[in-house]
Amino acid sequence: MAKGKFITFEGGEGAGKSTQVGLLAAALRGTGRRVLETREPGGSKGAEQIRELLVHGEVGRWDGTTEALLHFAARREHLVHTVFPALEAGTWVLSDRFADSTMAYQGYGHDLGPGPIEALYALVVGEFRPDLTLILDLPVDQGLRRAAGRREGGDRYERMNGGFHERLRQGFLEIARGDPARCVVIDASGGVEQVHKAVCAKVIRHLGIDLP
Ligand code: Z5A
């Protein structure tokens, strides 16, 4: 059986990743493919437990290094128990965030720099890479407004200051520039349908498949 494809969605707060994961999953299912929607941190029992430690509590609860370690521990659980078995079974896996988020949030946002994140990636993930990464880009203010509209008070990350969010936006753009074969940047400032059309166009072009 052909292996499934692994597509990751990345971007800052409120960029519309969850919305677009759902729409692309529906479009792919419309072509008869089996699709799994998942997320990071989370996506398996152990990883969801680690997620609770990461998204709740005081902003300064963890330093950047501890945060990176927790995200990679959750990622290992997610890969071993959810992502790898699904891909082996021929299922397409769409993940709301993956390792580029650690590079952007902990590497750029918390200033750990790329070296430690790349070293952890090599240890925990090895050679495995997403087939395609869609980076949803929009101005920080617009994303935070969207996220605030959805959740009262915001989680730990939404409460970090504007400079942090701008650093991680630039971090995602830098990641895309450094790996153009895997990453595409999508202007996420338009309406839901407009962004969905842009997502489908990139999936068709990069993975060579038809979509409705
Ligand atoms: N994190 C990290 O630091 N390091 C890591 O390695 C990983 C993660 C993997 C997880 O939180 C946090 O962990 C995350 C980064 C950090 N920071 N935060 N917060 P999360 O998964 O709960 O949150 P999130 O990833 O930022 O997602 P989000 O806030 O849920 O946003 P989203 O998925 O990008 O957007 P959405 O839920 O699809 O849409 C947000 C709202 O906007 C909603 O009301 C939609 O109806 C609306 N929306 C969506 N699209 C549009 C358009 N196009 N126009 C207008 N309105 C829209």
Side-chain angles (χ1 to χ4, degrees):
M1 184 189 300
K3 282 193 182 168
K5 299 280 186 199
F6 184 46
I7 303 176
T8 58
F9 287 73
E10 299 280 9
E13 320 300 297
K17 298 174 302 299
S18 315
T19 304
Q20 295 301 328
V21 164
L23 291 172
L24 180 62
L28 287 167
R29 287 187 187 113
T31 66
R33 290 177 171 85
R34 269 200 317 277
V35 181
L36 175 72
E37 297 169 55
T38 185
R39 68 171 180 181
E40 288 205 350
S44 68
K45 191 172 171 218
E48 289 291 333
Q49 288 168 338
I50 298 170
R51 178 189 173 91
E52 291 300 304
L53 299 174
L54 281 158
V55 300
H56 298 303
E58 292 303 307
V59 166
R61 182 178 186 186
W62 313 112
D63 72 3
T65 301
T66 307
E67 247 182 63
L69 290 167
L70 286 168
H71 278 294
F72 270 106
R75 181 159 303 128
R76 180 77 199 166
E77 279 287 303
H78 182 218
L79 286 170
V80 169
H81 294 289
T82 302
V83 177
F84 292 156
L87 293 174
E88 280 299 325
T91 300
W92 284 48
V93 178
L94 308 188
S95 188
D96 184 344
R97 295 193 183 281
F98 187 60
D100 296 314
S101 282
T102 323
M103 183 60 87
Y105 278 76
Q106 283 70 48
Y108 289 90
H110 285 308
D111 282 330
L112 286 188
I117 309 299
E118 284 165 0
L120 285 169
Y121 191 102
L123 174 73
V124 170
V125 187
E127 296 294 310
F128 177 74
R129 299 276 180 283
D131 294 287
L132 175 64
T133 295
L134 301 153
I135 296 179
L136 304 189
D137 178 62
L138 86 172
V140 167
D141 287 356
Q142 198 180 343
L144 288 175
R145 269 199 306 277
R146 283 187 193 170
R150 210 204 37 189
R151 267 198 299 256
E152 190 108 340
D155 69 14
R156 261 188 80 235
Y157 290 95
E158 282 162 36
R159 286 182 266 118
M160 289 179 186
N161 66 37
F164 174 85
H165 291 284
E166 193 54 50
R167 280 200 299 286
L168 71 91
R169 182 186 187 197
Q170 295 311 320
F172 277 123
L173 296 175
E174 187 67 33
I175 290 165
R177 277 193 291 273
D179 195 353
R182 172 177 68 84
C183 300
V184 292
V185 177
I186 291 178
D187 177 358
S189 62
V192 170
E193 267 311 308
Q194 194 183 336
V195 179
H196 175 56
K197 280 204 181 100
V199 165
C200 288
K202 298 294 184 191
V203 170
I204 290 165
R205 191 155 125 226
H206 281 256
L207 300 180
I209 61 164
D210 287 329
L211 283 176

